[in-house]
Amino acid sequence: MSPINLAIVGVGKIVRDQHLPSIAKNPDFNLIATASRNGTVDGVQSFTAIEEMLDAVPEIDAVSLCMPPQYRYDAAHKALSAGKHVFLEKPPGATLSEVADLEKLAASKGLSLFASWHSRYAAAVEAAKTFLASTTIESVHVVWKEDVRQWHPNQDWIWQAGGLGVFDPGINALSIVTHILPKAIFLTSATLEFPENRDAPIAADLHFKNADNVPARAEFDWRQTGKQSWDIFAETAAGQMVLAEGGSKLSVNGELTFSAPEEEYPSLYRRFAEIVKAGQSDVDLAPLRHVADAFMLGKRKFVEAFHD
Ligand code: NAP
């Protein structure tokens, strides 16, 4: 099969940090166009709007949509309607229903839709899944605490409705947890802290259980200065498992059992090529469903205003 002619929409931080280097290394893709109001990529023809790009470059086979989630559905609908396969950055949309609609549209046109979850491809995630399947889990505790000023400076969209606030990183933890736990969990209670001047939460404390009453807790906080935490702890019959540093290192009873170089975005593009070749879609909405549940069931606390 000849390489997939790819276009990127929404050229910003994650495109420059991860998509461009991963695409450049993958012979299955040829980046042939971009559409972004301001961003461009050297040596690639650029447009300011997706409609203009789709009209001007009919040889595009697939598009990666990397703008903030509130603006993803319209672009995805246009791309699928024009017969293109679609890669959705995480979170796949601003609502569950809009992503379900895209799934239907992709299926009706025989196109691939990929709701990507980059953290699921962190180095030690599969090893953690294998370990948890081999033992009995007693409890799970996720601690995902980072400094929003360091990681999301001046990103207004992230604080607006649909930008998800602290769930923007928190959903990465949920994408790992929903992948590695052998049984589904569901929310039982939650507290969300909203800065009084923002529409999205700065912190969240979520309590889940599964059908066997095994408890799981997730603490997300954007006010962490100093050491940053992206860790998942599980107490098990075989001892304590720690999946640390965003899923990249696995320890059991204090001993490092697995770590490997970071390959998240290269793995995402390998997976995208695989589903396009196989004529499949890959859309798992479990992480986004948990976030929606938190907004539905969570108590709201208003906390001091946040200024960048
Ligand atoms: P970003 O740089 O703030 O936004 C990406 C680009 O989207 C912007 O440069 C902008 O390009 C375009 N955009 C912004 N507002 C828009 C609007 N109202 N309508 C249409 N386009 C708009 O954000 P990012 O950090 O790359 O994140 C983008 C997505 O990737 C998010 O869903 C995020 O969760 C996900 N992601 C980010 C990271 C990370 O580390 N930053 C990691 C993994 C996943 P133009 O001005 O040129 O249109």
Side-chain angles (χ1 to χ4, degrees), residues 10-15 36-39 66-69 71-72 89-91 118 155 157 168 265:
V11 177
K13 184 174 187 310
I14 195 59
V15 167
S36 208
R37 298 163 313 169
N38 305 289
C66 305
M67 69 287 279
Y71 313 105
R72 207 166 281 139
E89 246 302 347
K90 53 72 38 177
H118 64 89
Q155 283 189 325
W157 61 265
D168 177 80
Y265 277 78

Side-chain angles (χ1 to χ4, degrees), residues 167-250:
F167 287 107
D168 177 80
I171 203 168
N172 298 333
L174 295 172
S175 75
I176 296 176
V177 166
T178 49
H179 183 67
I180 64 176
L181 293 183
K183 282 199 172 170
I185 53 168
F186 49 90
L187 198 71
T188 55
S189 69
T191 305
L192 312 186
E193 295 183 39
F194 286 75
E196 61 189 17
N197 61 337
R198 303 287 183 164
D199 290 325
I202 195 165
D205 189 3
L206 313 175
H207 293 265
F208 302 87
K209 66 174 185 175
N210 70 9
D212 301 328
N213 282 319
V214 172
R217 179 178 182 192
E219 293 181 89
F220 303 150
D221 204 319
W222 252 352
R223 297 164 296 198
Q224 178 97 337
T225 53
K227 188 180 178 303
Q228 308 286 285
S229 311
W230 298 288
D231 303 321
I232 298 170
F233 303 86
E235 302 303 327
T236 78
Q240 189 190 47
M241 182 204 86
V242 184
L243 180 58
E245 298 178 23
S248 63
K249 287 190 177 149
L250 181 72

